[in-house]
Amino acid sequence: MNNDEIIRVQTYMRLKFQNDMVTLKRGAKDDMVEVYLEDEFIGTLFRDEDEGEVSYDFNMAILEFDLPTV
């Protein structure tokens, strides 16, 4: 992902989640960025290109011990 693409996806995610604290940071691979909420790592976002169409896959793992009790 190039810098312009990262900024565009970050802007989309901030608008979608109504939170300006969502930040994308370049990851270990060229097709992946790390997603942060403030200073907390919350997941990864991958770029996928298939037959000329580009999509983005956001993956967030939620650990059971992080869930609130209800």
Side-chain angles (χ1 to χ4, degrees), residues 1-59:
M1 294 176 65
N2 64 42
N3 288 336
D4 290 338
E5 204 169 17
I6 292 170
I7 291 169
R8 289 178 62 214
V9 175
Q10 177 178 277
T11 300
Y12 171 82
M13 291 184 77
R14 286 178 174 181
L15 291 170
K16 182 56 74 176
F17 295 121
Q18 298 178 0
N19 191 325
D20 287 338
M21 301 305 290
V22 174
T23 305
L24 304 184
K25 297 180 182 179
R26 190 166 299 284
K29 300 179 181 179
D30 289 339
D31 65 345
M32 183 265 285
V33 293
E34 297 175 342
V35 181
Y36 288 83
L37 183 57
E38 296 188 27
D39 292 332
E40 182 181 359
F41 171 80
I42 61 168
T44 55
L45 188 132
F46 289 88
R47 180 184 194 274
D48 183 43
E49 187 170 351
D50 185 29
E51 297 182 10
E53 293 187 13
V54 176
S55 64
Y56 303 90
D57 180 35
F58 174 52
N59 187 346

